[in-house]
Amino acid sequence: MKKMVQMLLMVMLMSLLVVPAMAQFGEPRGGGPHGRKGGPPEGPEFEKKMKAIEQYRMLKLLEVLDLDDAKADKFLQLFREQRELMKEYRDKNFAIADTLSLLLQTENADAEIERLVAKIRSNKLEEIRSFNKFFEDIDGLLDTYQMGRLTLFMERFDRGIIEDIIRKRGDTPPLDDTAPSEGK
């Protein structure tokens, strides 16, 4: 019971820290190489905000799964490793996408464009393999309902954060210059 009270206090404290971070998360940040505002977020402030969101994610996930201490420790170790791998794949693909965006503005770059597209596709396949391995690793750790709750949490948490930011800011994020518009 004491652990549950401590957990609830931590969640409440993290909520107080994360809400301001989420409110500023979508702020425009100068021009990226693709010619639009909001280039890749970076710097110590961004990293601090992302760390707060990750801590909030962990606390909410522990609340949803309701694991005992031994299972929670093992699960968190595996989950953190998985999140770090996903971040590495996203960072790699983001860098490749920036290069690809620049190449798409040039002529006679077919071979390089094909190579970059293939690299992103390869990274996505590795990401899927890693995701599946994570679920294999936790298979005996969680019961069926916990696996179901984990799956729902993983599918909905990021969207919930984005919706909270949009509600807090009262607007929508700018469209990417490569997104199809209604007139096209």
Side-chain angles (χ1 to χ4, degrees), residues 6 28 36 41 45 48-49 65 71 86 129 137 143 155 180-181:
Q6 289 175 336
R36 66 177 170 90
E45 277 301 310
K48 184 178 174 183
K49 292 171 188 175
L65 294 179
K71 284 185 177 182
M86 294 298 106
R129 285 187 191 106
D137 290 346
D143 66 32
E155 291 299 317
S181 66

Side-chain angles (χ1 to χ4, degrees), residues 54 58 73-89 130-131 133-134 137-138:
E54 275 304 305
M58 295 290 186
D73 289 342
K74 180 65 176 164
F75 174 80
L76 283 177
Q77 174 192 355
L78 294 169
F79 188 74
R80 281 187 185 111
E81 290 170 5
Q82 176 62 20
R83 293 290 303 162
E84 187 58 37
L85 277 173
M86 294 298 106
K87 181 184 181 312
E88 288 175 21
Y89 286 119
S130 172
F131 182 80
K133 183 182 181 317
F134 167 71
D137 290 346
I138 63 168

Side-chain angles (χ1 to χ4, degrees), residues 25 40-43 46-52 54 57-58 78-96 123-124 126-128 130-131 154 158:
F25 182 73
E42 55 189 45
F46 176 75
E47 292 301 322
K48 184 178 174 183
K49 292 171 188 175
M50 291 306 296
K51 187 174 183 177
E54 275 304 305
R57 177 190 315 270
M58 295 290 186
L78 294 169
F79 188 74
R80 281 187 185 111
E81 290 170 5
Q82 176 62 20
R83 293 290 303 162
E84 187 58 37
L85 277 173
M86 294 298 106
K87 181 184 181 312
E88 288 175 21
Y89 286 119
R90 277 191 313 273
D91 290 349
K92 285 178 188 177
N93 283 346
F94 196 85
I96 294 169
N123 286 347
K124 289 290 185 184
E126 286 301 315
E127 191 175 341
I128 291 167
S130 172
F131 182 80
M154 291 175 79
D158 289 338

